[in-house]
Amino acid sequence: MTQPSSTNNFARLLGGVLLIAIGLVLVFNSASAVRLIIWLLAAGLVISSLLRFAELRDGSLRRWPLMLAGGLLVFSGIGLPFWHGASLPVLALAVSLVLLVGGVLRLAAVFRGRQKYCFRGALTALTGIFGAVLVIFWPRLSLWVLGVAFGGWLFLLGVRCLHPAFEHRVRKIPAWMRTAGQAGLTGLSTLGLAAVLGLGTATAYLHSQNQLAAADDFYLPPASVPAAHGQLLRAEPLEANTLPNTLAWRIIYTTQGPDGAASVASGLVTIADSAKGTLPVISWANGTKGVTSQCALSMAANPYDDGPARARETMLADGWAIVATDYIGLGTAGPHPYLIPAAEANAVLDATLAARQLQDLGSHGVQLGDSSVVWGHSQGGHAALATAESALDYAPDLNILGVAAMAPATDLPTLAESVADTSAGKIISSYIAYSWNQLYPALGIEKRLTARSRMAVNQLSQNCFSGTGALTGLAQSSQLFEPIFTPAELDGQLHAILLRNSSVMPVDYPVFIAQGAEDSLVLPSMQREFFKRSCTSDVHAGYLEYAGLDHMPLVGTGSALNEDLVAYTRSLLDGIPDFPEDATLCKK
């Protein structure tokens, strides 16, 4: 074999470092915006092709396969970011080309005896070939899987490129260290092949899961729905899926829809099994779970998977009750008024009113008092702020002590625009499109969508945003290479509706807003601007960002929010709101 020149040695060194860097970014950041992933994939294609040409100059393999592979890869890599009509199959075809050609050429080198480490070479080749099979023939492939498969292959290719660049130095290293190094490289190659095969198995499992379990007869409304809101219609003990040392019931109650019409919603009531006497209430507004009836919190396999779990369990042990609404259309008949503040607030307040009528509580020596603190995360934070805004007029019998809104969806136009091109943002946009198409027929949302966006909305709206449903939704949303709503739509009539349904800071109660500083869904910059804009002399509120925490980790078990939330809630019952020490405050 011809020894590589110093120029080609440098090219391999630089190319190897770049491929390793791109590969790692793709493996660990494949849930990023689609355009970023496309640019990274394109860069990987181009660098791979240039390294093919470097091999051609070394004369290590036949010329025509390298020339053909290099030319096609350069063409694909350069053209891909500018091909605005590209779809996932097109991208998969381009990526599978580099995996397949690279794998076949590598395997050919092994069989011709030109590959020094035949076993590792065969592993790398099989990784490329199986990766190509995965991205070509798996019809429901997600962009995440594509990015991880190609990123892993680029990483292995980069490591292989670095080895010849340092080969003359490796000879000076003791034999045992060389052997350990070669074993490590072989292990990486084995891991790459296992990862590709595992990705295929994992995606097949996710897409085989049926998320369309129907609500049972408990959620059927009575033949005649009372006009008065907050009336308990039905209740039954929740026998399974409860928290340890607790008692729980699911309930059906009357409420008002966004147009003020009588409607029916469901919810969940939880108390500690040792609770006695009159209990204050946490009125819990859960985050986004979906927009169809099977997504109700009260019928989930784990109704308590939405945090903050530690804070909730502490409050239950302290003698508080938790009343959580499913909202209209989740469990009960829809449509679900997703991110419609009036309907969300009504559902939260009416759940608390209805829970006080639960007769089973009396048999346990318990009754629910008038005092309530409203908690909510994400969509629930949006609902919590709306609840405090309307509580005095809608439910004057309730004594709302204060509000804790965690990563609330406050500024809907900014939220819709900022996440439009992310996988999670496309799910949120699909939920808005599906719900608002029914609630605002004059908007004609369905007719405004492109054919591909319309298909995505129909598909994504049927997934619940929890468990395997969330993973399936993220996989499906990554197959759409365009936002659900175009920038023109977000600036048009839809913008006015988004603005109308955005949050207003309540002035009648203390409000604690908690935000993850690394939130990639509800952006901290949006939240800071909302708080700054809303912080007037009439507002008694505190705002605190939690360093290093994204959207869900904010309410995770390891978050410092749990202790702050407990302390703040306890202080409300004592009548002296106590915000966390580091919070930014605005007071009356």
Side-chain angles (χ1 to χ4, degrees):
M1 180 184 295
T2 304
Q3 292 299 316
S5 66
S6 59
T7 302
N8 285 344
N9 203 39
F10 176 75
R12 280 198 177 96
L13 177 62
L14 179 61
V17 171
L18 290 174
L19 289 178
I20 289 173
I22 294 172
L24 290 175
V25 172
L26 283 170
V27 168
F28 294 107
N29 206 33
S30 286
S32 297
V34 170
R35 280 291 131 196
L36 173 61
I37 300 304
I38 290 177
W39 277 101
L40 290 172
L41 292 172
L45 289 169
V46 171
I47 296 172
S48 300
S49 68
L50 294 178
L51 289 174
R52 296 294 178 211
F53 286 125
E55 289 183 9
L56 179 122
R57 291 187 61 186
D58 290 342
S60 59
L61 292 173
R62 291 182 180 179
R63 288 176 173 270
W64 70 265
L66 290 171
M67 293 178 64
L68 176 61
L72 288 175
L73 295 178
V74 167
F75 175 79
S76 300
I78 294 176
L80 191 61
F82 304 100
W83 192 350
H84 297 290
S87 62
L88 187 66
V90 173
L91 185 59
L93 182 62
V95 171
S96 65
L97 178 65
V98 68
L99 295 177
L100 185 60
V101 171
V104 169
L105 290 177
R106 186 100 162 126
L107 202 57
V110 171
F111 286 128
R112 288 200 305 272
R114 299 196 179 188
Q115 173 62 48
K116 185 175 181 181
Y117 302 101
C118 293
F119 178 68
R120 191 169 71 244
L123 286 175
T124 305
L126 290 174
T127 300
I129 292 171
F130 279 117
V133 171
L134 174 66
V135 299
I136 292 175
F137 294 106
W138 182 234
R140 305 182 81 176
L141 179 73
S142 73
L143 183 64
W144 180 80
V145 174
L146 182 63
V148 171
F150 188 55
W153 186 84
L154 288 178
F155 177 82
L156 293 175
L157 182 61
V159 171
R160 186 174 73 86
C161 288
L162 291 182
H163 179 261
F166 291 99
E167 191 170 13
H168 66 287
R169 298 182 182 179
V170 172
R171 295 193 182 99
K172 300 177 183 179
I173 297 176
W176 68 269
M177 293 184 66
R178 292 201 305 270
T179 301
Q182 296 301 334
L185 291 174
T186 301
L188 282 175
S189 299
T190 304
L191 181 62
L193 178 58
V196 168
L197 296 176
L199 284 171
T201 303
T203 52
Y205 169 76
L206 283 178
H207 287 295
S208 69
Q209 298 304 295
N210 181 11
Q211 299 295 321
L212 300 179
D216 58 43
D217 291 346
F218 176 82
Y219 296 90
L220 294 176
S224 177
V225 177
H229 65 84
Q231 299 297 306
L232 181 65
L233 300 177
R234 189 179 303 134
E236 69 176 31
L238 191 67
E239 302 292 351
N241 305 322
T242 58
L243 292 173
N245 306 313
T246 65
L247 301 170
W249 296 262
R250 56 180 183 172
I251 61 173
I252 299 289
Y253 60 93
T254 61
T255 186
Q256 290 183 3
D259 58 354
S263 191
V264 175
S266 55
L268 192 64
V269 181
T270 307
I271 62 171
D273 57 10
S274 59
K276 298 295 179 184
T278 301
L279 310 184
V281 176
I282 301 293
S283 297
W284 171 244
N286 59 272
T288 297
K289 287 291 178 281
V291 289
T292 54
S293 61
Q294 72 269 14
C295 300
L297 187 77
S298 63
M299 61 183 292
N302 181 7
Y304 304 96
D305 66 347
D306 200 4
R310 281 201 296 123
R312 175 176 53 224
E313 290 164 11
T314 298
M315 301 314 296
L316 284 168
D318 275 2
W320 290 63
I322 309 288
V323 179
T325 181
D326 289 331
Y327 307 116
I328 298 171
L330 303 184
T332 56
H336 170 50
Y338 184 59
L339 293 175
I340 306 298
E344 290 174 335
N346 294 348
V348 172
L349 292 166
D350 286 327
T352 305
L353 289 172
R356 297 195 300 174
Q357 304 160 34
L358 184 59
Q359 294 182 357
D360 283 0
L361 293 174
S363 62
H364 293 279
V366 168
Q367 64 178 358
L368 302 189
D370 298 334
S371 298
S372 172
V373 176
V374 184
W375 288 4
H377 174 240
S378 194
Q379 178 193 0
H382 180 265
L385 294 174
T387 299
E389 177 68 16
S390 64
L392 285 178
D393 293 331
Y394 188 82
D397 291 342
L398 290 179
N399 178 27
I400 304 295
L401 303 177
V403 175
M406 296 153 257
T410 48
D411 185 343
L412 297 189
T414 300
L415 175 64
E417 181 180 357
S418 63
V419 302
D421 199 35
T422 67
S423 294
K426 289 171 187 174
I427 295 176
I428 300 302
S429 298
S430 293
Y431 288 168
I432 291 174
Y434 181 84
S435 173
W436 291 16
N437 189 58
Q438 301 172 76
L439 296 172
Y440 301 107
L443 271 179
I445 287 180
E446 186 175 10
K447 297 178 181 178
R448 296 171 181 262
L449 302 177
T450 66
R452 280 185 291 195
S453 293
R454 192 179 305 118
M455 184 180 300
V457 168
N458 291 335
Q459 185 180 50
L460 293 171
S461 61
Q462 302 307 306
N463 290 318
C464 300
F465 201 52
S466 59
T468 57
L471 295 176
T472 301
L474 290 170
Q476 292 171 343
S477 65
S478 74
Q479 296 177 351
L480 180 67
F481 281 19
E482 62 186 38
I484 297 296
F485 298 117
T486 66
E489 290 297 336
L490 291 177
D491 288 338
Q493 191 177 3
L494 181 60
H495 179 275
I497 307 299
L498 288 165
L499 188 61
R500 183 195 309 169
N501 288 317
S502 293
S503 296
V504 176
M505 182 73 82
V507 298
D508 298 308
Y509 309 104
V511 178
F512 171 39
I513 297 180
Q515 175 67 40
E518 304 301 324
D519 198 322
S520 56
L521 184 61
V522 176
L523 300 184
S525 57
M526 180 194 79
Q527 212 68 274
R528 287 193 293 269
E529 181 59 30
F530 168 76
F531 186 79
K532 179 181 178 181
R533 185 175 63 247
S534 305
C535 195
T536 68
S537 59
D538 294 328
V539 172
H540 187 188
Y543 174 74
L544 181 59
E545 288 185 15
Y546 290 81
L549 297 183
D550 204 338
H551 193 66
M552 296 309 298
L554 174 67
V555 292
T557 55
S559 172
L561 169 66
N562 287 278
E563 288 80 7
D564 290 343
L565 185 58
V566 167
Y568 168 72
T569 303
R570 286 171 173 167
S571 74
L572 294 177
L573 191 60
D574 294 336
I576 306 174
D578 183 18
F579 296 99
E581 182 178 354
D582 296 334
T584 301
L585 303 180
C586 54
K587 295 184 177 180
K588 288 186 177 181

